[in-house]
Amino acid sequence: MKKRPEPQHSDALGTRERIVRTTSRLMQRQGYQGTGIKQIAREAQATLGSVYHFFPGGKQELGTVAVRHGDEEFADILEKMLAAEDDPATAVLVLTKVLGEGLEESDWLDGCPVTSTVVGTAVDSPGIQEAAAEAFAHWRSLVAKALLRAGFGERDAVELAYTVVSALEGAEMAAQVARSTEPLEVVGRHLARLITSYR
């Protein structure tokens, strides 16, 4: 995931938005289990009362909202990358480069906020699991639409979109573990080759 700016703590950013952004950032870096309500409140410069006022469902509700925030954040990057290139294969190559640069700039901390939040919580938190499933479906739909615009058949577009999103998720996690952009670079090249082979 491309590096996000640190949360802004200004009057222009409402308390609820600060809490959401802070939760998303912390769960992206620490996971759901490693992030507590007190830390969220402290880093969002909000009271515990404010957190529970906006999110009476507590941490599980915040986790769900954080996943939805991560969904929109990555979808925005994905849409821009796909729209900037006529060739989806080139777009995927550019995207893997951008993701790698973002990871490196964040000292390998800012991976996928959706995956980081949902791992280990899906069984106990169906709301988070559902939000994550919707996020992945959203991203696949964006890739599939770009492929359709480029002239791919519907079935090929849908199946390639599954492959692209799944491969990117795995490569991003591998890059974090290895502290290297190489997994993303390799996956980008192979995805580009795969997409081109369908023409």
Side-chain angles (χ1 to χ4, degrees):
M1 177 69 63
K2 190 176 181 182
K3 186 180 178 185
R4 66 178 66 187
E6 293 298 311
Q8 304 167 28
H9 299 308
S10 67
D11 292 337
L13 196 62
T15 302
R16 186 185 188 281
E17 182 66 14
R18 286 204 313 273
I19 293 168
V20 170
R21 290 190 186 190
T22 300
T23 302
S24 183
R25 177 178 59 87
L26 290 173
M27 289 188 180
Q28 178 182 29
R29 293 182 170 190
Q30 303 171 178
Y32 179 83
Q33 300 297 346
T35 303
I37 294 284
K38 288 182 180 178
Q39 183 186 16
I40 291 168
R42 184 173 64 252
E43 297 208 15
Q45 296 182 7
T47 64
L48 275 174
S50 293
V51 174
Y52 283 108
H53 168 74
F54 288 110
F55 304 98
K59 187 174 168 182
Q60 285 202 27
E61 184 178 356
L62 272 168
T64 301
V65 174
V67 167
R68 297 195 191 285
H69 179 79
D71 172 9
E72 292 303 323
E73 186 177 63
F74 184 61
D76 183 56
I77 295 168
L78 191 55
E79 279 190 294
K80 286 176 181 173
M81 297 290 106
L82 293 169
E85 301 287 344
D86 293 330
D87 181 5
T90 303
V92 168
L93 273 173
V94 173
L95 178 61
T96 53
K97 183 179 180 187
V98 167
L99 292 175
E101 288 172 351
L103 269 176
E104 195 166 16
E105 287 169 12
S106 73
D107 196 27
W108 313 102
L109 292 172
D110 291 343
C112 176
V114 172
T115 302
S116 299
T117 303
V118 78
V119 169
T121 67
V123 174
D124 298 326
S125 307
I128 293 175
Q129 186 276 333
E130 182 181 341
E134 289 172 2
F136 293 133
H138 184 196
W139 302 342
R140 289 193 303 267
S141 74
L142 294 175
V143 175
K145 285 175 186 174
L147 291 166
L148 288 168
R149 286 195 303 270
F152 287 73
E154 185 171 354
R155 181 171 178 178
D156 286 344
V158 169
E159 292 185 354
L160 279 169
Y162 260 97
T163 304
V164 167
V165 171
S166 298
L168 288 175
E169 285 296 306
E172 196 169 38
M173 189 175 295
Q176 279 187 282
V177 172
R179 296 179 68 83
S180 167
T181 60
E182 186 177 10
L184 280 162
E185 292 165 5
V186 171
V187 163
R189 289 196 298 271
H190 282 271
L191 284 175
R193 250 182 247 165
L194 176 64
I195 291 167
T196 301
S197 75
Y198 274 74
R199 289 192 175 280

